[in-house]
Amino acid sequence: MTVAYLMNLAVNGAVEGLLVGLLALAVTLVFGVARFPNASAGDVAMVGAYSGWLLQSAIVSLGPLSLVFAGVTAMASAALVSLALYWLVFRALSGRVGVYALIASIGAAFVLRSVVTFFLGHDQQVFAVPLTRALSIGPLRVLPIDLWVGAIALAAMVCVFVILRMTAMGRRMRAIADNPQLAMVSGIPAARTMSGLWLMAGALSGLAGCLLGLKTVIAPEMGWDLLLPAFAATILGSVGNPLGAVIGGVIIGIAQEVSTPFVGFTYKIAIGFVVMLLVLLVRPEGLFVARARVR
Amino acid sequence: MKNLQMNRRHVLAGLGTTAALATVGLPVKHARAAGSPAMIGALNPVSGAGSAYGSGMQKAIIMAAEEINAAGGAAGQMIEVIGEDTQTSPEAAVNAAKKLVEVNNVGAILGTWSSGVTLAVMPITTAAGVPLMCTSGAPAISTEDKADLVWRFQATNDRFGRAFAKIADREGYKTAATMAFNNASGIGNTEGFKKSWGGEIVGDVVYEPKRPSYRSELQQVMASNPDVIVMGSYLPDTTIILREWFQLGGKNKWIIPGWAANDKLVEALGAEVCEGVISVESVSNESAESYAHFDKGYQAATGSPASSNVYAAMTYDMMIVWGLAMAAAGEGADSAAVNAKLRDVGNPDGAEVYTFADGVEALKSGPINYQGASSRLDFDEYGDVTPDFGMSVIKDGKIERVAVVSI
Amino acid sequence: MEAYLIAIAVYALVYLLMGLGLNLHYGFTGLINFGHVGFFAIGAYASCLLTLAGYPMPLGFALALLLPALAAIPIGYLSLRLRSDYLAIVTLGFSEVVRLAIINEKWLTNGVQGVPGIPDVAQGFGLPVSGSVAALIVLLIANALAIALVYRLTRSPFGRAIQAIRDDEEAVRALGKDPGSFKIRVFMIGASLAGLAGAIYGHYITYITPEQFLPLVTFYVWVAIILGGAGKVSGTIVGTLALMTFLEGSRFLRDLLPGVSEVEMASVRLFVIGLALILLVRFRPSGIMGDWTSGGTQR
């Protein structure tokens, strides 16, 4: 086994991790501000992927441009679904113990998936993408789609960071995350701020779903399957920390893939959890607790 | 918020109503008599891992039942199909099977798909004396079936592996690597291949499904430059693996089971990626009238061609063959008597028939040998079919049969 | 018909036994355990493999009580350090690691092929009845014992201590008691109950594979205890019954609804479960019987 071999594994892991990290970004925002692990994030991503696909199959003649529209559609529809979930379900649960919201979010995930399977069935679907060969960068082989995944995930992270740090909306979100009661009495419009938060989380989920659909296939269980790694990435990188969520995803991804020569391919998922457990033993609040965070 | 909360009494009352409604639905257990319909259980993977096939399988059973009923029923009885979902989970399947056996009083259960589900349901159906027909590949099913009540309409994984080996020889490959989906069927295929192939195995990977990428797995098997990669896989993972392999510039050939290398794969990936992929499946009787007949009906019922779901032809045959066995056993026969007739109507020495109606007609003048849509349907001593295998190559996006391989 | 009702009763009692354990964790102590199926799986494999190796079934049951309790110790220690909402994810990860280990340690568990031919409960205890009836009897006894245990435990000083931890951990600490040792012991007892449930389930179904131990099982147990009312034994019982009524009742509902195929019904069933979860949490979070917050502690 050569160094190049391991480096390629690390690249694979980083890409998978960025994809997971993108969903973790959506999870960590809600977790940090609304204070519960939102299990519907994966299925919101799935809804985004399906709506992007529905649009793209209608306008496939536009070529690569159709993918851009598909991405925008995925983000928009997932954001709307996410907002609807906030108003219909989660708004009434704020202030209750997190486990209730967690259970309601599992329910919301089931509802979304049942609606999609009822109307669109269980068959896999794919985006129409022209396939291109991998690029060679030194000893590394990189798929063009993976460069896109990386660039988009990083861009999304920067956007989230800017919104949280540099806009009035972001400051209000952080204020609510810090102390909801205090934010309320100091006149922060909670419902409007939270709507913004859920829109943002939904758009990120939709983007993650769309990219996952591009890289793999679109199927009803795709988002749910990505959820557990995204949860792990979220708490590894400390809840409420957008940078931490993405880095957490990348760490788990790289650890999983680089471990494969030693533990085999079927154990690698367990490695992700073991890494998470070990880190939490040393740092119970996750890796980046003291750094920039939502709260 | 207080006024929105239901109180305990309301909730309990609601539950009571639900329970009462559920009880109303219980049909009274009745003895089998002419005039009342024969109940058949369709126990298929409608949701869960098998969901890509389950709904088609169930529709095919219903389609076959309608065909039987249109021909006046079997031995004077109409067929009524009760559908259930295994959720591709042994636990859910066991409950569904108990319900079918105990409440619906079915004469047979058709169409369990994954080996795990079949192995879990077998003890229940066998204890009740109800025949079970499956499309599972695990060899253990044959050895566990001591009462000769379990029928398999799919070649065992072991046989598939041997067919792969024959094809690899035929193509003159010297080195091979295997990739298997981590379940009994996936591993069964590649293990069967490894056992019976004389060439050199240079790589061997078992992968967990539902991953966002299989590049690391591919990297390992491609590092050994095999002539061919032999798969034990399903459609979604095969789609992702082949796409990544193409992008990485792979040059080797592929041998893939037919349920994964099908029209949907070509549709998903395009002709260029799939060029030269070898698809192997137990020969549906495409040349037989029964297949054309089934294909037409299936297209009408689902809008997809029969080739899109290889298991649908099998479950269709299950219903038809059971109907023919009922006809052969005569009026008032019980499940055991019908079960005993299955080999008589499916195996050689008899007039070859292709539809239920023809079969019933031919039964009047002597033994019959139903030629199924999924295979010739000849059952061996374990109740397993022994189909030939078709080797197809994908050329310009078309899947073309190039040879038939017998084991 | 009888056998079908027995089958449902067996499932209900298996879930009840698991639910009693989870209720100790969450309802009485406030530990958010989303990896209950991990303990269930350990118990099932422990007892089934031991009896297949020729040892008597009571010994298998003993191991099914012991091993999950041991597995719970490290989880318990982690729970002392972690925020409660982190614990949910960590335990979920734990149950997946257990499942992956079962898949991979083929020498012991036969991997994804599963373990067939497990002796049933009637054989194991030499009872002159069918395997299902024997499982039902053993489950009734096990649940009766477990309910008695939970009652006694929660009324003892130990029980008052864990409920105090649930309500205000800082206050308990201020009184000079260490919440840690209580939490770990609760984790162990609840895990044992899940393990025993797993053992009886394995001997009932006589064939186990890793795919029977997915996180969905944990969710169902959570639904049962939240539905009935967390922190009350009666809540767990009523919640389990309600869950089973719905899961099995929906089969018959489909038979009554002509024109709805099983394919669509699978979606409808998932929809109804999801909607029920949302509505329950939204409008009746304390469950059917009321939880610990709605007065009348301990029952």
PDB file of all heavy atoms in Angstrom, chain B residues 357-372:
ATOM      1  N   ALA B 357     -55.320 -20.720 -19.125  1.00  0.00           N
ATOM      2  CA  ALA B 357     -56.501 -21.239 -19.814  1.00  0.00           C
ATOM      3  C   ALA B 357     -56.155 -22.477 -20.636  1.00  0.00           C
ATOM      4  O   ALA B 357     -56.855 -23.499 -20.584  1.00  0.00           O
ATOM      5  CB  ALA B 357     -57.102 -20.153 -20.710  1.00  0.00           C
ATOM      6  N   ASP B 358     -55.018 -22.406 -21.372  1.00  0.00           N
ATOM      7  CA  ASP B 358     -54.600 -23.571 -22.167  1.00  0.00           C
ATOM      8  C   ASP B 358     -54.293 -24.756 -21.267  1.00  0.00           C
ATOM      9  O   ASP B 358     -54.589 -25.907 -21.606  1.00  0.00           O
ATOM     10  CB  ASP B 358     -53.342 -23.226 -22.978  1.00  0.00           C
ATOM     11  CG  ASP B 358     -53.638 -22.216 -24.066  1.00  0.00           C
ATOM     12  OD1 ASP B 358     -54.834 -21.926 -24.284  1.00  0.00           O
ATOM     13  OD2 ASP B 358     -52.675 -21.728 -24.697  1.00  0.00           O
ATOM     14  N   GLY B 359     -53.677 -24.456 -20.121  1.00  0.00           N
ATOM     15  CA  GLY B 359     -53.297 -25.518 -19.193  1.00  0.00           C
ATOM     16  C   GLY B 359     -54.517 -26.267 -18.697  1.00  0.00           C
ATOM     17  O   GLY B 359     -54.536 -27.497 -18.655  1.00  0.00           O
ATOM     18  N   VAL B 360     -55.556 -25.535 -18.309  1.00  0.00           N
ATOM     19  CA  VAL B 360     -56.771 -26.165 -17.810  1.00  0.00           C
ATOM     20  C   VAL B 360     -57.387 -27.032 -18.898  1.00  0.00           C
ATOM     21  O   VAL B 360     -57.844 -28.156 -18.660  1.00  0.00           O
ATOM     22  CB  VAL B 360     -57.770 -25.095 -17.336  1.00  0.00           C
ATOM     23  CG1 VAL B 360     -59.118 -25.717 -17.039  1.00  0.00           C
ATOM     24  CG2 VAL B 360     -57.225 -24.395 -16.101  1.00  0.00           C
ATOM     25  N   GLU B 361     -57.367 -26.520 -20.117  1.00  0.00           N
ATOM     26  CA  GLU B 361     -57.927 -27.246 -21.254  1.00  0.00           C
ATOM     27  C   GLU B 361     -57.160 -28.547 -21.473  1.00  0.00           C
ATOM     28  O   GLU B 361     -57.747 -29.624 -21.622  1.00  0.00           O
ATOM     29  CB  GLU B 361     -57.826 -26.330 -22.493  1.00  0.00           C
ATOM     30  CG  GLU B 361     -58.781 -26.647 -23.627  1.00  0.00           C
ATOM     31  CD  GLU B 361     -60.213 -26.805 -23.157  1.00  0.00           C
ATOM     32  OE1 GLU B 361     -60.684 -25.967 -22.349  1.00  0.00           O
ATOM     33  OE2 GLU B 361     -60.853 -27.789 -23.584  1.00  0.00           O
ATOM     34  N   ALA B 362     -55.797 -28.417 -21.450  1.00  0.00           N
ATOM     35  CA  ALA B 362     -54.959 -29.588 -21.726  1.00  0.00           C
ATOM     36  C   ALA B 362     -55.034 -30.611 -20.608  1.00  0.00           C
ATOM     37  O   ALA B 362     -54.843 -31.811 -20.831  1.00  0.00           O
ATOM     38  CB  ALA B 362     -53.512 -29.153 -21.936  1.00  0.00           C
ATOM     39  N   LEU B 363     -55.305 -30.151 -19.387  1.00  0.00           N
ATOM     40  CA  LEU B 363     -55.388 -31.083 -18.256  1.00  0.00           C
ATOM     41  C   LEU B 363     -56.488 -32.119 -18.458  1.00  0.00           C
ATOM     42  O   LEU B 363     -56.420 -33.223 -17.910  1.00  0.00           O
ATOM     43  CB  LEU B 363     -55.665 -30.304 -16.966  1.00  0.00           C
ATOM     44  CG  LEU B 363     -54.450 -29.887 -16.130  1.00  0.00           C
ATOM     45  CD1 LEU B 363     -54.899 -29.023 -14.965  1.00  0.00           C
ATOM     46  CD2 LEU B 363     -53.681 -31.092 -15.628  1.00  0.00           C
ATOM     47  N   LYS B 364     -57.484 -31.720 -19.225  1.00  0.00           N
ATOM     48  CA  LYS B 364     -58.604 -32.636 -19.437  1.00  0.00           C
ATOM     49  C   LYS B 364     -58.155 -33.886 -20.188  1.00  0.00           C
ATOM     50  O   LYS B 364     -58.755 -34.939 -20.059  1.00  0.00           O
ATOM     51  CB  LYS B 364     -59.714 -31.933 -20.237  1.00  0.00           C
ATOM     52  CG  LYS B 364     -60.421 -30.869 -19.414  1.00  0.00           C
ATOM     53  CD  LYS B 364     -61.424 -30.092 -20.256  1.00  0.00           C
ATOM     54  CE  LYS B 364     -62.037 -28.953 -19.451  1.00  0.00           C
ATOM     55  NZ  LYS B 364     -62.582 -27.896 -20.299  1.00  0.00           N
ATOM     56  N   SER B 365     -57.092 -33.742 -21.001  1.00  0.00           N
ATOM     57  CA  SER B 365     -56.685 -34.876 -21.814  1.00  0.00           C
ATOM     58  C   SER B 365     -55.371 -35.503 -21.350  1.00  0.00           C
ATOM     59  O   SER B 365     -54.858 -36.385 -21.993  1.00  0.00           O
ATOM     60  CB  SER B 365     -56.572 -34.445 -23.283  1.00  0.00           C
ATOM     61  OG  SER B 365     -55.812 -33.267 -23.368  1.00  0.00           O
ATOM     62  N   GLY B 366     -54.796 -35.021 -20.262  1.00  0.00           N
ATOM     63  CA  GLY B 366     -53.574 -35.662 -19.793  1.00  0.00           C
ATOM     64  C   GLY B 366     -52.684 -34.715 -19.037  1.00  0.00           C
ATOM     65  O   GLY B 366     -53.062 -33.563 -18.768  1.00  0.00           O
ATOM     66  N   PRO B 367     -51.480 -35.172 -18.660  1.00  0.00           N
ATOM     67  CA  PRO B 367     -50.571 -34.346 -17.875  1.00  0.00           C
ATOM     68  C   PRO B 367     -50.085 -33.139 -18.674  1.00  0.00           C
ATOM     69  O   PRO B 367     -50.042 -33.172 -19.899  1.00  0.00           O
ATOM     70  CB  PRO B 367     -49.422 -35.294 -17.538  1.00  0.00           C
ATOM     71  CG  PRO B 367     -49.504 -36.381 -18.545  1.00  0.00           C
ATOM     72  CD  PRO B 367     -50.934 -36.494 -18.965  1.00  0.00           C
ATOM     73  N   ILE B 368     -49.715 -32.078 -17.945  1.00  0.00           N
ATOM     74  CA  ILE B 368     -49.211 -30.880 -18.603  1.00  0.00           C
ATOM     75  C   ILE B 368     -47.849 -30.498 -18.035  1.00  0.00           C
ATOM     76  O   ILE B 368     -47.433 -30.964 -16.977  1.00  0.00           O
ATOM     77  CB  ILE B 368     -50.172 -29.674 -18.428  1.00  0.00           C
ATOM     78  CG1 ILE B 368     -50.381 -29.370 -16.935  1.00  0.00           C
ATOM     79  CG2 ILE B 368     -51.470 -29.919 -19.140  1.00  0.00           C
ATOM     80  CD1 ILE B 368     -51.043 -28.035 -16.680  1.00  0.00           C
ATOM     81  N   ASN B 369     -47.163 -29.650 -18.773  1.00  0.00           N
ATOM     82  CA  ASN B 369     -45.863 -29.124 -18.355  1.00  0.00           C
ATOM     83  C   ASN B 369     -45.884 -27.631 -18.643  1.00  0.00           C
ATOM     84  O   ASN B 369     -45.656 -27.196 -19.763  1.00  0.00           O
ATOM     85  CB  ASN B 369     -44.755 -29.837 -19.147  1.00  0.00           C
ATOM     86  CG  ASN B 369     -43.386 -29.231 -18.886  1.00  0.00           C
ATOM     87  OD1 ASN B 369     -43.205 -28.433 -17.973  1.00  0.00           O
ATOM     88  ND2 ASN B 369     -42.421 -29.616 -19.707  1.00  0.00           N
ATOM     89  N   TYR B 370     -46.214 -26.848 -17.597  1.00  0.00           N
ATOM     90  CA  TYR B 370     -46.322 -25.397 -17.791  1.00  0.00           C
ATOM     91  C   TYR B 370     -44.941 -24.806 -18.032  1.00  0.00           C
ATOM     92  O   TYR B 370     -43.998 -25.052 -17.275  1.00  0.00           O
ATOM     93  CB  TYR B 370     -46.981 -24.746 -16.570  1.00  0.00           C
ATOM     94  CG  TYR B 370     -47.001 -23.228 -16.626  1.00  0.00           C
ATOM     95  CD1 TYR B 370     -47.715 -22.553 -17.620  1.00  0.00           C
ATOM     96  CD2 TYR B 370     -46.296 -22.469 -15.692  1.00  0.00           C
ATOM     97  CE1 TYR B 370     -47.729 -21.164 -17.671  1.00  0.00           C
ATOM     98  CE2 TYR B 370     -46.306 -21.083 -15.745  1.00  0.00           C
ATOM     99  CZ  TYR B 370     -47.021 -20.440 -16.735  1.00  0.00           C
ATOM    100  OH  TYR B 370     -47.019 -19.066 -16.799  1.00  0.00           O
ATOM    101  N   GLN B 371     -44.811 -24.053 -19.104  1.00  0.00           N
ATOM    102  CA  GLN B 371     -43.578 -23.338 -19.412  1.00  0.00           C
ATOM    103  C   GLN B 371     -43.769 -21.901 -18.961  1.00  0.00           C
ATOM    104  O   GLN B 371     -44.531 -21.160 -19.559  1.00  0.00           O
ATOM    105  CB  GLN B 371     -43.295 -23.383 -20.918  1.00  0.00           C
ATOM    106  CG  GLN B 371     -43.130 -24.791 -21.446  1.00  0.00           C
ATOM    107  CD  GLN B 371     -41.847 -25.431 -20.950  1.00  0.00           C
ATOM    108  OE1 GLN B 371     -40.763 -24.951 -21.210  1.00  0.00           O
ATOM    109  NE2 GLN B 371     -41.992 -26.519 -20.201  1.00  0.00           N
ATOM    110  N   GLY B 372     -43.075 -21.513 -17.895  1.00  0.00           N
ATOM    111  CA  GLY B 372     -43.356 -20.225 -17.280  1.00  0.00           C
ATOM    112  C   GLY B 372     -42.807 -19.051 -18.051  1.00  0.00           C
ATOM    113  O   GLY B 372     -42.046 -19.198 -19.009  1.00  0.00           O
TER     114      GLY B 372
END
